[in-house]
Structures are given as C-alpha cells and as structure tokens.
Amino acid sequence: MGKGSFALAHCMDTHPEEKSRGITISTATTQFTTPGKKRLITLTDAPGHRNFVNNMISGASQCNAAILVVSSKDGEFRAGIAENGQTYEHTLLINALGVKNLIVAINKMDDESVQWKEETFNHIKSEFSDFYKKIGGDLKNCKFIPVSGFKGENIKEPYHDKFWKGKCLLDMIDDWPYVKSDLSIPFRMALSGVHKVSGIGSVYAGKVVTGSLSVGDSVESLPSKHIQAQVKSIEKFHKQAKIAYAGDNIGVTLKGMSDASGPKKGDIIGAKDSGLQKVYRFSAVFMGTMAAKMDVGFRPVLANGTSKHTVTIVKIESINEKDKTSRTWKDVTLERSGQVKKGDMVKAVFQPDNGNLCIETETKYGILTRFVLRNGTSTIAIGQCKKIDNDNYEKDFKNLKKEAAKAAKKEEAKK
C-alpha cells in the first residue's frame, strides 16, 4: 500500500475495498465512552481522499465537533495546507458546515524527522491558526495537541516524556461543550440513509439538527416526495428511545405510509406544518474559495446537509472584492463578467433542478441554511441561503438561456 501501517485503520475501514486500497471510502460510525467524564461519544470516520469528498461532506454534516488529523512531517503538512491540499479543503468544509469545535491532532510526532520537537509543533500550530482565521474560524473553539497515532502516545493517557504537559486526546474530547437543544425551534432531521431491516421495515437514519422528536409525533418530509407520517419508534445507536434532541444521531421508523413511498437519502424530515418547503428559487451570499467562472447559466453541485443537487445560477446580483490595503469591499461586478476569485463575496440567485432542494433561511436552523458549491472534484465556494423566492421561479430558464445564446451568436455573425 505504500504506507507505514494501515492496521489501526481497519478498526473503522471494514469494507474489503477500503482494506485492499488502503483508503477510507465511505463514512463509518461507532461509539465509545471516555474514561474521564464517562461521556458517550458517537465517532464518525470520514474519508480524506479527494475522490470521496462528497462522502466526507455527508459525514461531517452529521457531527457537532471534529478532530482534524494533520501530519507533523514538513513536506506532508505543507502539501495538505496548500490551496489544493486535503487539509485545506477539509478545514474549509467543516467550518462551512457549521462544525465549530475543532481539535487539530498533529500526528506522527514520533517520526525520525520530527522526534517530538516542540518547535515543529509550534510552527504547525501557528501556520494552521493563521489559515483558520482567514477562512472565518474562531480560534477560541480550536485546540491543538501533539500525538503519535501509531504508537498511541498522548491518545488515551497524557504523554509527558517530552515537551507536552497538557491533556491527552480523550481528555480534550471530554472538554467539548454539551449540545444545547432549543425546544422552541421546529424539529428538523437531515436524512443520511435508509436501511431495510428484516421484520422491521425501513429505518430512516440521520441527525436531529433542531428541536426534538418523540414517538407518536406527526412529521413530513421533502423534497423527493411530500410524505406525511407518524413516528413509530426511535433508536439511538441500536437502543430504543422515546425522545431525541438536537445533536442526536438516530434511526426512526414511520407509520401511515408504505416503505416504497418513504423518504430518501438527502431528504429533510420536519415537524408537520412547521414551514418545511421545496425550494425552486433562492437568493444567497457565497464566498469563492478558488478562482472560477460562475456566470449566469453555470451549473455547480450544491451540498446542503446530507443532500447534493445540481443548481443553476440564474442571476449574479453583485461580486465584491476586499481591498488588500484598506480592507474595504469594492463592487467589481461589471469588470468581472462572472469571474469569481478566491475571497470574493458574491450575491446570486439559484434555481435547483426540479425544485429538488430543502434549504432554510432562518439562522436558527443552523447548518440547513449553509451550503457548499462544488465543480468536479473541487470546492469552489461556501455560502448561506438568505431568501426563498419561489414566486419568481423561471421554469423555462434553460430554454431562455439557450435562445439568448443563439441570438448573441447571430448578432456576432452579423458584425
């Protein structure tokens, strides 16, 4: 495989293809109890390889906190933190997805080129901190720790043989704040999967994003189909429960509908009559994370919660660039002609294909207002929905765009 060891990875990478290729492909979930405060932690292992970033997004959207593992080896760290590196993209994504509590585990401290040097740890901490602040991260919620995953140093017990005198990784996890549930906010759950269980039927798995859910509650789901049902049962990691709160990863069974017509992966399940709606047109603000042509008619993939849908930009309202000297924003819409640079703030109007999207505008719904734009294997922008505008949906926009392009070509030919 070309790796020093992949043995420990097999604790989570159980699929035969993952073992043979030596990479994480899909997300895997397990639970453990911390030895200190006896907190029950649900751990999701998300893939890091560029080809499986979509799976990483789905996994990260289910989490309340994250452990970002970076290499302390100079060449590997620099490759990861570069603009096209995986550390860069993963940090950008977890921040965009609303994961605020972050532990940066600086790994491979036992390597011969590092040898638990304090200056190496401090250098990586400083460089990462500068980068994290630039993308809008809050350093108050970001902790750093040196570890050796291979030798298990500073993981379960503090490793004080060298410069480090702080806590071990499990003790840092104990310090994460507990998730607080505002029960006045309507229930929303992002559906990450549907599992067929013999003797039970379909189990709908996902994360409770807001509110609470109890057995017997009436719910509805969108956007694949408008389905109304009643909660038959709730499971929290294979254990029956009567109620679930925001932050819980659960599986639910529903009654009052057939399994064949049930919700699909990527759907949102919400409290009945709580304003859940299919979105055909919406306005948003997004920040470019790399240079890209994003003119009217551009069709990126939008990731929101656990869903991924193709959307069309139907209007560019403004493109603003921050002046490096004065640090003020300058409107460059006319001179750019749809060309977005890294760091630009853009106001635009989108139309999802066939209205296959549920996205929220109110900040109380947290991650469900946020989205990531991807083109191929690249993350090109992160943004937030500001207004749903279904009344101005242009059903024939594609045809109108084609006709406008043809007319422009004819005019150009006349000249």
Side-chain angles (χ1 to χ4, degrees):
M1 294 180 186
K3 300 176 184 288
S5 173
F6 200 64
L8 297 176
H10 288 168
C11 295
M12 299 292 286
D13 294 336
T14 58
H15 192 276
E17 187 178 359
E18 292 179 316
K19 291 183 177 181
S20 64
R21 296 178 61 181
I23 56 174
T24 304
I25 296 174
S26 60
T27 57
T29 303
T30 190
Q31 282 191 320
F32 67 92
T33 301
T34 60
K37 296 181 180 178
K38 306 300 181 183
R39 292 181 67 176
L40 182 62
I41 304 294
T42 300
L43 177 68
T44 298
D45 181 29
H49 195 279
R50 180 174 297 277
N51 291 347
F52 308 109
V53 168
N54 282 335
N55 291 340
M56 179 265 171
I57 292 172
S58 295
S61 68
Q62 302 291 297
C63 299
N64 304 309
I67 301 171
L68 183 72
V69 182
V70 302
S71 174
S72 60
K73 296 173 71 172
D74 187 60
E76 292 179 356
F77 173 73
R78 293 194 178 280
I81 206 73
E83 192 169 319
N84 62 345
Q86 293 305 93
T87 301
Y88 177 95
E89 185 169 31
H90 293 166
T91 310
L92 194 70
L93 288 171
I94 58 177
N95 192 55
L97 292 168
V99 180
K100 297 302 182 187
N101 294 293
L102 178 64
I103 293 175
V104 181
I106 300 175
N107 194 23
K108 301 184 182 180
M109 290 296 292
D110 61 304
D111 187 81
E112 288 186 1
S113 65
V114 182
Q115 297 181 353
W116 278 89
K117 293 177 184 174
E118 184 175 7
E119 54 265 40
T120 300
F121 172 79
N122 289 335
H123 172 70
I124 292 174
K125 178 181 177 180
S126 176
E127 284 211 18
F128 186 90
S129 296
D130 289 344
F131 156 64
Y132 194 53
K133 286 190 289 185
K134 286 178 182 177
I135 64 170
D138 187 350
L139 285 174
K140 289 189 300 182
N141 302 321
C142 180
K143 309 298 181 185
F144 296 85
I145 183 171
V147 299
S148 167
F150 181 63
K151 291 187 176 180
E153 293 170 341
N154 217 26
I155 304 293
K156 187 178 179 180
E157 297 177 351
Y159 181 72
H160 293 162
D161 289 6
K162 304 293 182 179
F163 70 91
W164 184 252
K165 302 303 176 188
K167 296 181 178 181
C168 64
L169 181 61
L170 289 182
D171 288 344
M172 275 194 172
I173 291 173
D174 263 340
D175 289 340
W176 274 335
Y178 287 87
V179 177
K180 296 180 180 179
S181 300
D182 185 345
L183 301 183
S184 67
I185 302 174
F187 166 73
R188 293 287 188 271
M189 171 178 165
L191 195 57
S192 60
V194 181
H195 309 286
K196 302 289 185 181
V197 180
S198 178
I200 296 176
S202 295
V203 177
Y204 302 96
K207 177 187 176 182
V208 180
V209 180
T210 58
S212 64
L213 181 71
S214 299
V215 173
D217 282 355
S218 295
V219 295
E220 59 185 341
S221 74
L222 284 170
S224 61
K225 293 178 183 177
H226 184 210
I227 297 163
Q228 295 184 335
Q230 194 174 31
V231 178
K232 183 179 178 181
S233 68
I234 300 172
E235 279 194 357
K236 294 183 182 179
F237 222 85
H238 310 301
K239 293 181 180 179
Q240 291 290 321
K242 291 184 178 180
I243 189 168
Y245 299 99
D248 287 341
N249 286 282
I250 62 173
V252 300
T253 59
L254 303 174
K255 59 183 179 180
M257 58 167 206
S258 67
D259 280 355
S261 65
K264 311 296 182 187
K265 179 181 178 180
D267 280 354
I268 299 296
I269 299 177
K272 187 179 178 182
D273 300 326
S274 62
L276 190 66
Q277 62 177 317
K278 287 184 73 166
V279 174
Y280 291 86
R281 185 182 175 101
F282 68 95
S283 300
V285 174
F286 65 83
M287 181 186 77
T289 57
M290 63 183 297
K293 183 74 171 177
M294 290 188 243
D295 205 354
V296 171
F298 179 59
R299 289 167 52 76
V301 172
L302 181 146
N304 164 252
T306 57
S307 70
K308 301 169 190 67
H309 298 291
T310 301
V311 296
T312 303
I313 295 179
V314 297
K315 184 179 181 182
I316 296 288
E317 295 182 335
S318 67
I319 301 175
N320 287 277
E321 178 184 51
K322 180 174 276 190
D323 186 276
K324 293 181 180 179
T325 304
S326 65
R327 310 299 294 171
T328 57
W329 291 99
K330 175 187 177 184
D331 191 322
V332 292
T333 311
L334 295 177
E335 60 193 79
R336 287 290 186 81
S337 300
Q339 184 65 44
V340 176
K341 294 182 179 180
K342 179 183 175 183
D344 285 351
M345 294 299 295
V346 183
K347 292 181 180 180
V349 180
F350 296 86
Q351 288 191 177
D353 284 6
N354 304 315
N356 283 330
L357 181 67
C358 274
I359 194 167
E360 302 282 358
T361 58
E362 297 182 64
T363 54
K364 66 183 181 182
Y365 289 111
I367 190 176
L368 297 182
T369 68
R370 299 169 177 269
F371 61 84
V372 174
L373 293 182
R374 289 181 57 78
N375 187 28
T377 59
S378 300
T379 298
I380 57 174
I382 54 177
Q384 190 166 34
C385 177
K386 294 298 183 181
K387 180 183 178 183
I388 295 172
D389 193 21
N390 286 347
D391 291 341
N392 290 314
Y393 172 60
E394 296 178 76
K395 186 176 181 180
D396 297 322
F397 175 79
K398 291 180 185 178
N399 294 331
L400 292 172
K401 178 69 176 176
K402 288 179 181 178
E403 290 173 7
K406 287 180 181 178
K409 284 184 179 180
K410 287 182 179 179
E411 288 297 320
E412 189 66 29
K414 289 178 181 178
K415 294 178 183 179

